[in-house]
Amino acid sequence: MKVITESFLRESFRKEIPETFKVEAGQILTPSAAQLLSEKGVKIVRDGAEVPGEIPEPPESPVSAPVPKYVLAGGGGMFDTKPEHMTRLYGNRLVPKDHPRIFFRGRLDSLQSMILLAQSRIHEKGLKKLVQDLGEVLDLARAIMRAEVLDEVLCERPLMGLREGELREQSHHPEKYFGTEHLLVSFDMGWVLLTLNELRSSIREVEVLAVKAFRNEYELEKPEIIQALNRMSSAVYIMMLKEKSGKYR
């Protein structure tokens, strides 16, 4: 591997965080990967020698400088109080409130609100299994929020008992599994199907925002979140197919 990314390190460190990490000659350590190693206390080794750190530190001063309560994510600023136009990315790192990651969080929060409203209305109609299936989607949305805010790795989970390949198979071949063709949504399909379709399209929008939020020069951070959102939209489409074919009734 020529470029060592943050995503690669997080995947490597799932089971155990080593004391040292060796960077071979010709390999490139991305800034976010170097930051992660520094945060985890992992020493970087190049050509058999330990490197104190890839992120430059200010020179020592005979007088200890006060430790700031907040720092600007990416460097360049320190704060004792949080400015009103900024919010936490994670830990004590601040970003502007219109940062792509914060915008993504806001849309993900709105999506959860939409799911809850859909569950409430569908529960009144007596479609208990559909309410349950939407509950799994809500749980996944909450898990995505937690993983993003706490900077954790999102673990894969099934939806409606279906893994990634099964979700793709059923959503791509509705005739085989539901006895119906792909749906062409129209106003006269009823509010349950139209509500599910609104959720599906909103999930797709959140997925696009995730790509914008996690893409940088070297890599796509947190690809498991983007993958989970893609699977989530497939799951809601399957719910639409099940509702259309009467399997919830």
Side-chain angles (χ1 to χ4, degrees):
M1 175 177 291
K2 186 174 182 180
V3 178
I4 300 172
T5 65
E6 179 185 0
S7 297
F8 170 77
L9 291 178
R10 290 189 182 281
E11 184 67 26
S12 302
F13 294 171
R14 278 195 178 191
K15 294 183 178 180
E16 182 181 3
I17 299 177
E19 294 183 359
T20 61
F21 183 82
K22 185 175 181 181
V23 179
E24 304 288 351
Q27 288 184 325
I28 299 172
L29 191 66
T30 67
S32 60
Q35 179 70 44
L36 178 65
L37 291 172
S38 176
E39 291 174 354
K40 300 295 185 183
V42 180
K43 296 178 180 179
I44 302 168
V45 177
R46 292 185 185 273
D47 299 326
E50 290 186 2
V51 180
E54 297 288 323
I55 301 174
E57 299 179 356
E60 294 184 1
S61 171
V63 179
S64 298
V67 179
K69 186 174 181 180
Y70 304 103
V71 297
L72 186 64
M78 297 178 289
F79 308 90
D80 290 325
T81 59
K82 183 170 68 66
E84 286 298 324
H85 72 286
M86 306 195 81
T87 189
R88 295 188 187 194
L89 181 60
Y90 54 85
N92 69 336
R93 297 187 183 187
L94 298 182
V95 292
K97 290 182 177 179
D98 62 352
H99 188 280
R101 290 274 289 268
I102 305 306
F103 194 62
F104 165 73
R105 290 178 188 177
R107 286 293 289 116
L108 185 60
D109 189 29
S110 297
L111 176 63
Q112 293 176 53
S113 299
M114 292 178 64
I115 297 170
L116 286 166
L117 284 172
Q119 283 183 296
S120 177
R121 293 189 65 193
I122 292 170
H123 174 73
E124 293 175 358
K125 199 171 179 65
L127 302 176
K128 295 182 180 180
K129 185 62 173 69
L130 178 52
V131 172
Q132 178 183 328
D133 287 347
L134 285 171
E136 293 188 27
V137 172
L138 178 63
D139 288 343
L140 178 54
R142 287 171 171 169
I144 291 172
M145 181 71 84
R146 173 185 171 85
E148 196 280 325
V149 172
L150 298 182
D151 199 31
E152 299 175 344
V153 175
L154 177 70
C155 296
E156 184 183 354
R157 61 174 68 192
L159 287 171
M160 302 182 295
L162 303 173
R163 293 287 181 180
E164 177 184 351
E166 295 169 315
L167 287 167
R168 185 188 303 111
E169 168 71 14
Q170 291 195 17
S171 63
H172 286 192
H173 303 284
E175 302 91 344
K176 177 180 178 181
Y177 293 95
F178 308 104
T180 183
E181 297 180 351
H182 280 290
L183 298 178
L184 180 62
V185 181
S186 61
F187 75 92
D188 57 353
M189 297 182 78
W191 65 264
V192 173
L193 269 170
L194 293 177
T195 298
L196 292 174
N197 185 61
E198 184 181 26
L199 283 178
R200 182 198 58 79
S201 59
S202 294
I203 293 168
R204 300 295 291 186
E205 291 175 355
V206 175
E207 182 184 354
V208 172
L209 290 176
V211 173
K212 184 176 181 180
F214 301 127
R215 184 182 62 197
N216 60 41
E217 181 180 358
Y218 294 97
E219 61 182 325
L220 184 65
E221 299 177 32
K222 300 191 178 298
E224 74 278 7
I225 286 181
I226 295 165
Q227 182 183 48
L229 288 165
N230 185 273
R231 303 301 171 253
M232 190 188 296
S233 65
S234 296
V236 174
Y237 183 61
I238 289 173
M239 293 179 204
M240 294 175 65
L241 293 167
K242 292 174 72 173
E243 167 63 13
K244 177 67 174 177
S245 59
K247 294 187 180 294
Y248 283 123
R249 302 177 186 278

